[in-house]
């Protein structure tokens, strides 16, 4: 299994280009199942999860044409569409559940694998299933598969999520586009990636309108037209590089992402002492020598502080002068990076969903192991600022969601290399 060798400490300086958003690409790719006509997508990140979603779409019968030179992916509907999404593909990428909505909306049936859990939590899909049921989907679960079908067609309805869910919001918005009549969905997630999905669908002729902060109205249409669309930049990758600059007393110019979409994170980084200037849609960020602590950093749904940046901010706050507290409120087991950070010298105590950081950590290089996508990049950040040599194992986790990370980091001064 591949690993990273990192030599620290080093200061990161220079310019970074943010890749396309993994978490916008996945629902948009799933939504291409709604189309009869070709769809051309640009700015898809070259990451494992996108490859897996493309393989899943191919297994369902869609034709995929990748043009590396033009960095575009063309997706065509073939004559023979299948409606079976296998466990072998869905188990490695939980977003595979997002094909359920479009398949039942367009083809009135689907057999899709339950995604199963992962290191950060059980990852249930009850909100996906209950909301699709409200549109008329009937289903039963047998041997780890959801057997779903629709008599005649999905019908619009009123839906209110008991809890905010990114994936369930995406699944039901996609399905409602072809349902008969009007669907009103309340208590939606409103991450920028969901708005990007809605922009994509509306450009193809869907009728999606946000009528309240977390309320969306969708009027079903008969079909969608062929379109070309460029996916937004990756919000979490952008936040990760902002942390990297703050962590290493570095100075980065970050391009390819709309800074307005990460106000919460940028305000937090200013609070801990980073200097940030936004100029023509670029983020210029300089880390300060003294990192101030934060005593109640809470992960919550967008536009609050995102769970996907919790691990990276934990590394930053380990280096802060003084104690910090981080509460993880989205997933039940998202502190798996803590044990590895302790190996690098961090002093962290966990009580239920709270992490108590002593701060003033001088990270020392060590051998560590990645456990999930966002934890892996936190270990890379810690290793870059640690004194000495680190080995980061199981970086296949990282390859799921970061495009050419070690190349981007080397370009701005990190001493990092991938070894087989
Ligand atoms: C999306 O996952 C993201 N993945 C996650 O990013 C992100 O951490 C998460 O949203 C929260 O922002 C993609 O966009 C591909 P949820 P998702 O449904 O949709 C519970 C990454 O690193 N829940 O908003 O699975 C769930 O267990 C990944 O890129 C139910 O109980 O997250 C969790 O506690 C990790 N029943 C909470 O809701 C359901 O049916 C939020 O989950 C669905 C969710």
């Amino acid at each position: 299994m591949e690993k990273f060798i990192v030599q620290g400490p080093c200061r990161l300086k220079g310019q970074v280009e943010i890749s396309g958003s993994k978490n916008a690409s996945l629902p948009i790719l799933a939504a291409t199942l709604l189309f009869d006509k070709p769809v051309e997508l640009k700015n898809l990140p070259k990451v494992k999860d996108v490859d897996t979603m493309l393989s899943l779409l191919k297994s369902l019968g869609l034709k995929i044409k990748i043009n590396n030179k033009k960095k575009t992916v063309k997706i065509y509907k073939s004559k023979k569409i299948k409606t079976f999404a296998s466990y072998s593909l869905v188990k490695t990428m939980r977003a595979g559940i997002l094909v359920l909505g479009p398949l039942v909306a367009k083809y009135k049936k689907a057999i899709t694998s339950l995604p199963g859990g992962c290191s950060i939590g059980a990852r249930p899909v009850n909100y996906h299933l209950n909301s699709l049921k409200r549109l008329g989907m009937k289903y039963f679960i047998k041997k780890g598969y959801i057997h779903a079908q629709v008599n005649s067609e999905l019908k619009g309805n009123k839906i209110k999520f008991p809890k905010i869910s990114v994936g369930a919001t995406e699944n039901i918005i996609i399905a409602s586009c072809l349902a008969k009549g009007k669907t009103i969905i309340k208590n939606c997630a409103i991450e920028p990636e969901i708005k990007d999905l809605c922009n994509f669908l509306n450009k193809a002729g869907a009728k999606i309108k946000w009528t309240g902060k977390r309320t969306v109205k969708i009027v079903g249409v008969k079909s969608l037209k062929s379109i070309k669309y460029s996916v937004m930049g990756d919000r979490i990758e952008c936040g990760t590089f902002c942390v990297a600059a703050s962590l290493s007393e570095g100075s980065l110019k970050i391009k390819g992402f709309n800074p307005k979409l990460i106000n919460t994170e940028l305000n937090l980084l200013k609070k801990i002492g980073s200097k940030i200037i936004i100029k023509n849609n670029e983020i210029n960020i300089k880390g300060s020598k003294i990192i101030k602590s934060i005593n109640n950093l809470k992960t919550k749904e967008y536009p609050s502080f995102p769970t996907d940046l919790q691990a990276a901010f934990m590394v930053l706050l380990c280096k802060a002068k003084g104690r910090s507290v981080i509460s993880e409120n989205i997933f039940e087991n998202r502190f798996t990076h803590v044990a590895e950070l302790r190996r690098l010298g961090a002093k962290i105590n966990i009580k239920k969903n709270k992490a108590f950081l002593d701060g003033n950590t001088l990270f020392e290089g060590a051998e560590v192991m990645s456990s999930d996508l966002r934890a892996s990049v936190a270990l890379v950040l810690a290793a870059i600022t640690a004194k000495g040599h680190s080995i980061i194992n199981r970086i296949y986790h990282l390859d799921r969601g970061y495009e050419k990370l070690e190349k981007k980091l080397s370009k701005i001064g990190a001493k990092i290399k991938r070894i087989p």
Side-chain angles (χ1 to χ4, degrees):
M1 275 191 236
E2 291 186 318
K3 50 185 87 163
F4 279 154
I5 306 283
V6 182
Q7 187 61 35
C10 53
R11 205 174 252 185
L12 301 177
K13 290 170 92 73
Q15 184 167 303
V16 181
E17 189 67 42
I18 298 300
S19 301
S21 164
K22 166 180 87 79
N23 290 353
S25 300
L26 296 177
I28 286 172
L29 283 167
T32 61
L33 284 162
L34 295 176
F35 288 69
D36 295 310
K37 305 260 175 39
V39 172
E40 184 174 298
L41 298 175
K42 283 179 88 69
N43 204 32
L44 289 180
K46 285 191 172 23
V47 295
K48 188 85 186 74
D49 275 8
V50 168
D51 291 347
T52 306
M53 181 60 89
L54 288 170
S55 308
L56 178 54
L57 295 179
K58 251 187 248 167
S59 75
L60 294 170
L62 292 188
K63 297 261 166 282
I64 312 272
K65 250 196 190 147
I66 296 173
N67 181 324
N68 285 318
K69 231 177 27 237
K70 289 200 283 179
K71 292 187 94 179
T72 58
V73 173
K74 253 189 169 177
I75 298 170
Y76 308 75
K77 178 185 166 186
S78 73
K79 296 235 179 349
K80 185 82 196 83
I81 290 289
K82 301 182 199 85
T83 55
F84 173 74
S86 80
Y87 177 60
S88 59
L89 285 164
V90 173
K91 73 173 186 245
T92 60
M93 185 218 34
R94 254 154 304 287
I97 189 70
L98 293 176
V99 302
L100 177 62
L103 284 174
V104 293
K106 179 78 179 164
Y107 299 101
K108 323 294 182 223
K109 62 179 177 159
I111 300 179
T112 55
S113 168
L114 278 168
C118 68
S119 63
I120 64 175
R123 312 298 291 272
V125 290
N126 51 323
Y127 302 150
H128 297 245
L129 297 173
N130 297 341
S131 54
L132 287 166
K133 209 169 135 189
R134 293 275 301 157
L135 298 186
M137 179 184 87
K138 310 246 178 295
Y139 74 93
F140 63 89
I141 292 175
K142 192 159 171 260
K143 295 189 177 156
Y145 280 86
I146 302 160
H147 295 253
Q149 66 173 51
V150 179
N151 309 329
S152 85
E153 60 188 333
L154 289 181
K155 289 187 181 52
N157 203 341
K158 284 190 171 57
I159 292 161
K160 185 171 177 10
F161 282 116
K163 196 172 158 233
I164 293 168
S165 159
V166 171
T169 301
E170 291 164 344
N171 227 336
I172 199 69
I173 285 177
I174 295 170
S176 305
C177 288
L178 298 189
K180 189 171 175 1
K182 185 167 73 173
T183 301
I184 308 269
I185 311 164
K186 293 191 169 178
N187 204 24
C188 293
I190 51 172
E191 270 66 3
E193 295 76 26
I194 293 175
K195 301 298 175 92
D196 206 33
L197 168 68
C198 293
N199 294 340
F200 163 75
L201 289 165
N202 278 339
K203 190 175 173 190
K207 291 196 172 72
I208 304 168
K209 192 165 179 299
W210 290 87
T211 55
K213 184 182 177 209
R214 293 189 181 277
T215 302
V216 66
K217 181 181 84 172
I218 298 137
V219 178
V221 294
K222 282 266 163 270
S223 64
L224 297 170
K225 58 184 195 290
S226 184
I227 56 159
K228 294 184 179 174
Y229 191 80
S230 184
V231 167
M232 67 179 275
D234 192 298
R235 174 167 59 99
I236 305 303
E237 184 193 17
C238 181
T240 303
F241 277 103
C242 290
V243 169
S246 306
L247 198 59
S248 64
E249 242 188 295
S251 164
L252 292 179
K253 176 192 282 234
I254 302 172
K255 301 164 73 103
F257 183 77
N258 174 0
K260 290 191 199 70
L261 299 177
I262 53 167
N263 267 332
T264 302
E265 297 87 326
L266 294 179
N267 290 334
L268 273 169
L269 290 168
K270 284 178 192 161
K271 203 171 149 191
I272 61 120
S274 299
K275 299 280 172 280
I276 297 171
I277 297 170
I278 309 289
K279 211 168 61 189
N280 11 310
N281 235 8
E282 288 164 6
I283 299 170
N284 295 278
I285 180 164
K286 279 190 182 358
S288 69
K289 194 167 180 55
I290 306 285
I291 298 170
K292 295 184 194 115
S293 60
I294 297 180
N295 65 10
N296 64 344
L297 182 58
K298 295 188 174 84
T299 66
K300 277 177 66 63
E301 297 84 2
Y302 193 87
S304 299
F305 179 72
T307 175
D308 289 350
L309 282 174
Q310 178 255 102
F313 264 74
M314 185 179 282
V315 177
L316 184 56
L317 293 174
C318 280
K319 292 196 67 166
K321 289 271 165 278
R323 291 170 178 275
S324 299
V325 181
I326 300 178
S327 311
E328 172 52 56
N329 301 303
I330 302 291
F331 288 109
E332 65 268 31
N333 186 35
R334 202 166 199 180
F335 285 142
T336 48
H337 43 285
V338 169
E340 302 306 304
L341 291 177
R342 286 186 185 128
R343 291 178 54 74
L344 293 162
K347 296 178 278 316
I348 305 170
N349 265 318
I350 302 291
K351 279 196 197 91
K352 296 200 181 98
N353 70 323
K354 284 183 170 23
F356 298 85
L357 285 56
D358 282 8
N360 307 302
T361 301
L362 294 173
F363 285 117
E364 301 244 328
E367 181 159 9
V368 289
M369 188 163 71
S370 310
S371 52
D372 69 81
L373 167 58
R374 306 302 174 182
S376 52
V377 86
L379 297 178
V380 172
L381 294 175
I384 284 171
T385 56
K387 192 161 161 294
H389 181 93
S390 295
I391 297 174
I392 300 164
N393 293 299
R394 299 193 183 177
I395 52 170
Y396 61 83
H397 287 292
L398 187 135
D399 293 335
R400 289 187 46 199
Y402 290 93
E403 185 179 37
K404 302 191 197 99
L405 185 72
E406 73 270 28
K407 289 195 176 63
K408 293 187 181 184
L409 286 168
S410 306
K411 228 178 98 194
I412 54 176
K415 294 182 191 63
I416 178 171
K417 63 176 191 288
R418 181 185 289 257
I419 56 168

